[in-house]
Amino acid sequence: MNPADLGLPVDVPSTALFTDQYELTMLQAALRSGTADRRSVFEVFTRRLPEGRRYGVVAGTGRVLDAVENFRFDPGVLGFLRERDIVDEPTLEWLASYRFRGDVWGYPEGEVYFPGSPILRVEGSFAECVLLETVILSILNHDSAIAAAASRMSAAAGGRKLIEMGARRTHELAAVASARAAYVGGFDSTSDLAAGFRYAIPTVGTSAHAFTLLHDSERDAFQAQVASLGRGTTLLVDTYDVAEAVRTAVEITGPELGAVRIDSGDLLLVAHRVRQQLDELGATNTKIVVTSDLDEYAIASLAAAPVDAYGVGTQLVTGSGHPTCSMVYKLVARARSADPKAPLEPVAKKSMGAKSSMGGRKWAARRRDAEGVAEAEVIGLDAVPADLIDHQLLVELVKGGEVVAREPLDAARERHTAARAALPMSAIQLSKGEPVIGTEYV
């Protein structure tokens, strides 16, 4: 069964209005001027990484492919545009039969990127490509920000389990996308059932403080949970007195208690005390899960603590202080006429300050040293040097309007693990720094 076929709120029948009005007004003007059919190349890139970050993570590519496929102007959407007088009738007629028939190349999902990396390249007529700007950027900017935060937390966790639990801290649909991006970035599970249903991400969850407070005593609450969920459940032990709760939990379950969760206090100190108490009570295999407003820095500070898993919410779904990647979608090349054989010419905005960009249809490759460690992001316009041909980064995603590169989410997750491992070791340092490798233009 494909969950998307059920028409659930996590899927949108049409993505056509996930756009800014000026995309449509540009289309109208281009149709009228006769330039709409000029062959064009747009690229997605960022001029800089968020302050202090050493690498970025590409996430949301699979969702972009879905959005491009579902970019349709049905009668209801066209009626809205007509009622608001947003575009004229010839433009509405053109939109009624809109289908993206171009090509898309991009960094595969889970790959890392750096300033200037051509993360996505969209090719086709100006008209069909310009309409996709906003929806593509909204997905990539959000999902890549969450995945980057998740990657930093995953590196800080050092192999310990990570649970995404931020659904209550963001928009309900953003929560589903966040759980997906977090999984790409290295998280192991989510508390959000919509994300589990839509993307087959493992889901976890047991109880909150409300369940303990509902009962006349903590013992009654624990007994009720164990009776329902079994001795391998996770008991929340910080509602009242932690030491007493741990003692009660082991009395009820014996050494088979699955885990205890700590959600408040000095987590480093409490975790050590709880571990010692559990071991003394014979529950040596019982795991310790900690939550409570964690971020990558808090996770790193608990490296020496006897913690088995971390649950992260707010800081994860807000990109740990950087909720966007500042990616842009720029026209970098176009033909002088609608003739399919007309050559592409590089174009670029001339701008003061940091908003300048490089025109031309680009390739990208990652040069590695003799040990296989990345040492430079190489970007060029002409022929790819022979020594970089096997290290090119862009792959074909859409060909002639047809998606050709769908893959399981686990493939993106595994790709990210490998891509991060191939970076210099300083990539996973949490201290602020410059991008871990430089960008070279050839």
Side-chain angles (χ1 to χ4, degrees), residues 35 97 118 181 416:
T35 56
S97 60
H416 176 63

Side-chain angles (χ1 to χ4, degrees), residues 151-355:
S151 178
R152 285 162 59 86
M153 294 174 189
S154 173
R160 294 172 177 176
K161 297 294 184 181
L162 288 163
I163 306 164
E164 185 281 316
M165 47 194 303
R168 65 191 62 192
R169 304 300 188 204
T170 188
H171 184 278
E172 66 271 20
L173 298 187
V176 181
S178 295
R180 182 187 183 282
Y183 190 69
V184 171
F187 272 60
D188 299 282
S189 58
T190 179
S191 65
D192 189 85
L193 290 177
F197 183 79
R198 179 69 180 85
Y199 297 115
I201 301 169
T203 58
V204 296
T206 49
S207 69
H209 293 103
F211 186 77
T212 301
L213 296 170
L214 168 69
H215 291 80
D216 295 337
S217 70
E218 194 167 49
R219 179 178 291 274
D220 289 345
F222 288 175
Q223 286 176 328
Q225 184 174 327
V226 171
S228 175
L229 301 179
R231 295 174 183 267
T233 191
T234 299
L235 295 176
L236 182 59
V237 295
D238 72 329
T239 305
Y240 305 116
D241 179 85
V242 172
E244 181 60 31
V246 171
R247 185 177 303 108
T248 300
V250 177
E251 286 178 1
I252 293 170
T253 64
E256 294 83 17
L257 175 60
V260 296
R261 178 162 75 95
I262 307 166
D263 189 52
S264 59
D266 182 336
L267 297 178
L268 178 62
L269 176 62
V270 175
H272 276 288
R273 288 178 173 174
V274 168
R275 180 74 271 160
Q276 180 179 355
Q277 186 180 11
L278 286 169
D279 291 346
E280 290 173 350
L281 293 171
T284 56
N285 293 322
T286 299
K287 308 296 185 184
I288 297 177
V289 180
V290 296
T291 53
S292 184
D293 293 327
L294 298 177
D295 61 10
E296 60 264 50
Y297 301 102
I299 291 171
S301 73
L302 292 168
V307 172
D308 299 285
Y310 306 93
V312 189
T314 303
Q315 291 301 317
L316 177 60
V317 299
T318 57
S320 194
H322 297 288
T324 181
C325 302
S326 300
M327 293 178 185
V328 295
Y329 183 94
K330 296 297 181 183
L331 180 66
V332 297
R334 53 93 174 137
R336 279 190 175 272
S337 72
D339 184 347
K341 296 181 181 179
L344 288 171
E345 299 181 353
V347 294
K349 173 184 177 182
K350 291 184 178 180
S351 177
M352 301 286 289
K355 280 201 168 184

Side-chain angles (χ1 to χ4, degrees), residues 57-68 104-111 119-120 136 139-140 143-144 180 184 395-398 403 405-407 409 412 415:
V57 181
V58 178
T61 309
R63 297 207 307 121
V64 166
L65 298 180
D66 292 340
V68 170
V104 179
W105 290 70
Y107 281 36
E109 190 159 19
E111 184 58 85
I119 296 164
L120 200 73
I136 286 176
I139 293 171
L140 292 180
D143 290 22
S144 296
R180 182 187 183 282
V184 171
V395 299
E396 192 170 32
L397 301 172
V398 177
V403 174
R406 276 208 172 83
E407 62 181 5
L409 193 59
R415 181 180 296 114

